[in-house]
Amino acid sequence: MAGRISSGLPMHVMADLAPTIPRARRGLTAPAGLPQVAPAAVFILLLFNVPLLLMLSWSIDPGDNPFKYYAALAQGSVYMKVLGNTIYIALLTTFACCMLGYPLAYWMWSLRARSQILVLALVVLTFWISILVRTYSWIVILGNDGIVNRSLRSLGVTETSVAFLYNQFGVIVGTTNVLLPFLVLPLFAAMLKLDRRLLQAAESMGASQARIFFRIFLPLTFPALAAGSILVFILTLGFFITPAILGGGRVPMIANMLDLLINRMPRWENAAAISTVLLVLTLLFYAAYQWVEKKSRI
């Protein structure tokens, strides 16, 4: 019958009820799924959020000056130097990942489908290799008696070993090696979504390959590059293993300072204040990452 639907209600009644039906369904489904998600929610609440709240409480002094640990952090030249050094290495690592990652992703995009799968598998394969193994492999390559220094000495380029490791250069090389896939994979995915007909249309109108790249390809993929760069920067801020091994204790970063304050001194309150600052920085950059990623999807 015209004016009715399969539920038996008139169409104008269904139209009036339509805004309320989704709310009613949502009200029914949420309690039904609650028992399934409750154990995981309690697990996350206890094992992740409670320690985080405890850390925040330790950073605040119950006395007259509740923010004295933050004041000590701001007035301590050592803390500010380590914080600045961490941000500096994170920026250089991000820059290196961009310089290496964008050409690699572009080259992967230009390959045929079968070759793309093969190269993509090689990039993903790095996630299956331990960070510790990948970090120690750089000692074999760049160490004083490593492959590079042996080659340089045998070629007569230098008589003594070049100090590639246990400095900022070694830390940046190792960190870039570990974090490069985090930039390449989302960037390559964004390139695959690019409509190739835009490039073909520009080419048919006589635009050169360089003009097509700089006027169309690069602007359309820049949001993905920015999002990947922010992600690499955030991950570098909290890196521990690679700076500890390839820095040799001479390149202090925030994570290494936290290890010193907690395990050797110990000064839990100062460590909590530094951790809170690092957490705020990470959240700010994560918000920027989400904003850029959202813009890239529009």
Side-chain angles (χ1 to χ4, degrees):
M1 179 185 294
R4 290 178 178 272
I5 60 175
S6 57
S7 62
L9 295 175
M11 288 296 292
H12 70 279
V13 176
M14 288 299 297
D16 293 336
L17 292 177
T20 64
I21 290 175
R23 287 197 295 269
R25 288 176 179 172
R26 284 197 296 269
L28 292 174
T29 54
L34 188 58
Q36 286 79 8
V37 301
V42 172
F43 179 81
I44 293 174
L45 180 65
L46 293 178
L47 295 186
F48 290 92
N49 293 334
V50 171
L52 184 63
L53 293 176
L54 283 176
M55 182 200 72
L56 294 175
S57 67
W58 289 340
S59 68
I60 298 175
D61 185 65
D64 297 333
N65 186 6
F67 301 106
K68 74 173 188 180
Y69 300 117
Y70 292 98
L73 179 63
Q75 296 170 359
S77 59
V78 176
Y79 297 132
M80 298 308 295
K81 184 178 179 180
V82 171
L83 180 62
N85 188 58
T86 302
I87 294 176
Y88 177 68
I89 289 178
L91 287 174
L92 290 181
T93 301
T94 304
F95 178 76
C97 284
C98 290
M99 292 296 102
L100 296 174
Y102 196 92
L104 176 59
Y106 182 76
W107 175 69
M108 291 168 61
W109 172 82
S110 65
L111 295 174
R112 295 183 177 180
R114 186 172 298 178
S115 300
Q116 283 181 345
I117 295 173
L118 178 62
V119 177
L120 184 62
L122 293 176
V123 174
V124 175
L125 186 64
T126 58
F127 287 109
W128 299 349
I129 302 174
S130 168
I131 294 178
L132 200 60
V133 174
R134 293 164 64 185
T135 300
Y136 272 113
S137 67
W138 282 108
I139 297 178
V140 178
I141 298 172
L142 298 178
N144 291 335
D145 200 28
I147 298 172
V148 175
N149 269 315
R150 285 185 182 179
S151 301
L152 292 176
R153 288 198 299 268
S154 63
L155 293 173
V157 178
T158 178
E159 295 181 355
T160 59
S161 299
V162 180
F164 291 113
L165 297 180
Y166 313 121
N167 49 33
Q168 285 188 346
F169 176 79
V171 173
I172 292 169
V173 168
T175 309
T176 301
N177 170 253
V178 174
L179 297 180
L180 188 60
F182 290 92
L183 178 78
V184 171
L185 293 178
L187 190 56
F188 175 63
M191 290 179 178
L192 287 180
K193 295 178 182 177
L194 190 65
D195 193 345
R196 291 178 183 262
R197 291 175 297 181
L198 292 174
L199 311 180
Q200 294 169 355
E203 188 175 8
S204 65
M205 297 178 70
S208 63
Q209 291 298 321
R211 191 176 180 85
I212 293 173
F213 177 80
F214 287 106
R215 298 296 296 273
I216 299 177
F217 193 89
L218 183 59
L220 289 177
T221 55
F222 185 78
L225 176 64
S229 301
I230 295 173
L231 180 61
V232 169
F233 184 83
I234 292 173
L235 294 175
T236 309
L237 288 178
F239 234 50
F240 176 74
I241 295 177
T242 303
I245 296 175
L246 299 183
R250 301 173 185 173
V251 187
M253 294 181 68
I254 287 181
N256 307 105
M257 171 160 279
L258 289 176
D259 174 57
L260 179 67
L261 290 173
I262 293 174
N263 295 323
R264 301 183 188 180
M265 288 188 151
R267 295 180 181 174
W268 287 84
E269 294 80 6
N270 295 88
I274 295 176
S275 300
T276 304
V277 172
L278 181 62
L279 177 64
V280 172
L281 279 177
T282 303
L283 291 177
L284 289 175
F285 282 106
Y286 182 73
Y289 168 76
Q290 290 293 332
W291 183 80
V292 171
E293 192 181 48
K294 183 179 179 182
K295 288 290 182 183
S296 65
R297 290 199 297 263
I298 296 177

